[in-house]
Amino acid sequence: MLFPARLRICCALAALATALGCGGRFMARRDRAPFRSAIEPAATAGQLVFHGDAPVGRNRRLLDELAAQRTVIADRLALPMIEAPVHVYLYADESTYHREMSARFPNFAGRRALFVEDRGELAVYAHWSEQVADDLRHEVAHGHLHAASAHLPLWLDEGLAEFFEVGAARRGFNRPHVDYLLGQLDAGGWQPNLARLESLANAADMTRLDYAEAWLWVHFLLESEGNMTTVLTDYLAELQITDAPVPLSAHLARRLANPEAALVEHLRNVGQAF
Ligand SMILES: [Zn+2]
């Protein structure tokens, strides 16, 4: 028997050894029982409820930063502040994490971190590592976003998570994405195409380039000059009342003669500025 509701999984691009797409929408079997009961709550921070044996209590600064992401995201995107809990299952031991993730989410085995929305419950799974702060910022951003916006398109969900994973102090700037995109652009291996990104329905189809381009559109909308932020916030407001809004690419086409050319110009500008 299959779940009647959609199970959506996302994960940090950095979690992929092969740098391929990482999330997905798929149906899961009901007999894969949740294992929350096996892991007692370890700490809380705002809407976040931490479970597991990782030493999160010793890193209060990180917990508070993750909890504060909800306000940062709500402020930047003009989204409501929702009280829904986000459960974070954090493992001290990497091999235990991978063994349990392989059993529960076999299609996503090997991923360093996961975000799962299952029948309204928001959950993050990750293990302690040198990259745990980036991993948690990415996955918890998904949690805050899903709590506040029910119909986020896949590309925008990932682009926003990539933007917020670097931490508020860096204002979304992701140097690896910039270098990768500039390299692909100059090698003739990439031209931006927002309508193509919008057509992606399965995160398994998203490549490293797609993640980087999704991040760039978000950075362009939130950080470039010309008050482009309202294009994104108006779109997100529309998403609050319909799951089939006018695509963001159509809004941009009304605003700019050539949105893709403006995006490339933004990429070259930030590549030189930082
Ligand atoms: Zn993600």
Side-chain angles (χ1 to χ4, degrees):
M1 186 175 178
L2 298 176
F3 281 135
R6 190 179 67 194
L7 174 68
R8 178 163 174 166
I9 297 187
C10 310
C11 66
L13 179 65
L16 298 171
T18 56
L20 294 175
C22 66
R25 299 168 170 144
F26 67 95
M27 307 298 276
R29 292 187 62 82
R30 186 179 288 279
D31 57 5
R32 286 183 195 130
F35 57 96
R36 182 194 301 175
S37 58
I39 304 174
E40 296 301 319
T44 60
Q47 268 56 52
L48 306 178
V49 183
F50 290 85
H51 308 263
D53 55 355
V56 289
R58 281 188 257 142
N59 202 334
R60 192 71 224 177
R61 191 169 166 186
L62 174 60
L63 301 197
D64 291 342
E65 180 188 4
L66 293 169
Q69 265 194 328
R70 185 176 70 124
T71 305
V72 172
I73 287 171
D75 286 349
R76 290 303 311 266
L77 304 179
L79 287 173
M81 298 273 279
I82 304 297
E83 299 298 323
V86 178
H87 294 276
V88 182
Y89 301 93
L90 196 54
Y91 293 73
D93 180 58
E94 182 176 351
S95 60
T96 303
Y97 163 83
H98 283 300
R99 186 171 64 249
E100 297 207 11
M101 293 304 103
S102 295
R104 182 140 194 239
F105 309 112
N107 291 351
F108 294 85
R111 313 303 166 84
R112 206 170 63 216
L114 293 169
F115 168 76
V116 180
E117 181 178 6
D118 184 10
R119 292 167 293 179
E121 182 179 282
L122 310 172
V124 168
Y125 301 89
H127 63 82
W128 202 254
S129 73
E130 289 184 357
Q131 299 84 18
V132 70
D134 286 350
D135 289 349
L136 289 179
R137 279 193 292 260
H138 181 105
E139 308 302 343
V140 168
H142 279 309
H144 293 312
L145 288 164
H146 281 234
S149 184
H151 307 299
L152 271 182
L154 177 64
W155 78 271
L156 184 55
D157 194 10
E158 291 302 343
L160 287 167
E162 293 288 314
F163 180 91
F164 288 110
E165 80 170 31
V166 299
R170 290 165 66 187
R171 298 186 64 85
F173 183 73
N174 190 313
R175 168 55 69 185
H177 283 333
V178 169
D179 291 343
Y180 183 64
L181 289 169
L182 284 171
Q184 291 293 314
L185 185 69
D186 292 339
W190 170 69
Q191 281 290 323
N193 185 335
L194 183 53
R196 189 191 64 78
L197 275 186
E198 289 173 329
S199 73
L200 297 175
N202 190 332
D205 297 331
M206 288 187 71
T207 65
R208 178 183 178 186
L209 204 49
D210 294 333
Y211 275 81
E213 183 181 337
W215 165 82
L216 181 60
W217 282 109
V218 169
H219 194 269
F220 170 67
L221 290 164
L222 290 176
E223 293 293 332
S224 64
E225 296 179 359
N227 199 23
M228 302 301 294
T229 299
T230 54
V231 177
L232 179 56
T233 54
D234 287 352
Y235 176 75
L236 290 169
E238 200 176 343
L239 272 177
Q240 299 286 45
I241 54 176
T242 175
D243 61 355
V246 174
L248 192 63
S249 57
H251 288 294
L252 274 175
R254 287 186 205 135
R255 186 81 177 259
L256 300 168
N258 189 336
E260 271 74 17
L263 186 79
V264 169
E265 183 180 355
H266 176 68
L267 174 63
R268 296 213 182 274
N269 286 340
V270 296
Q272 293 174 350
F274 291 91

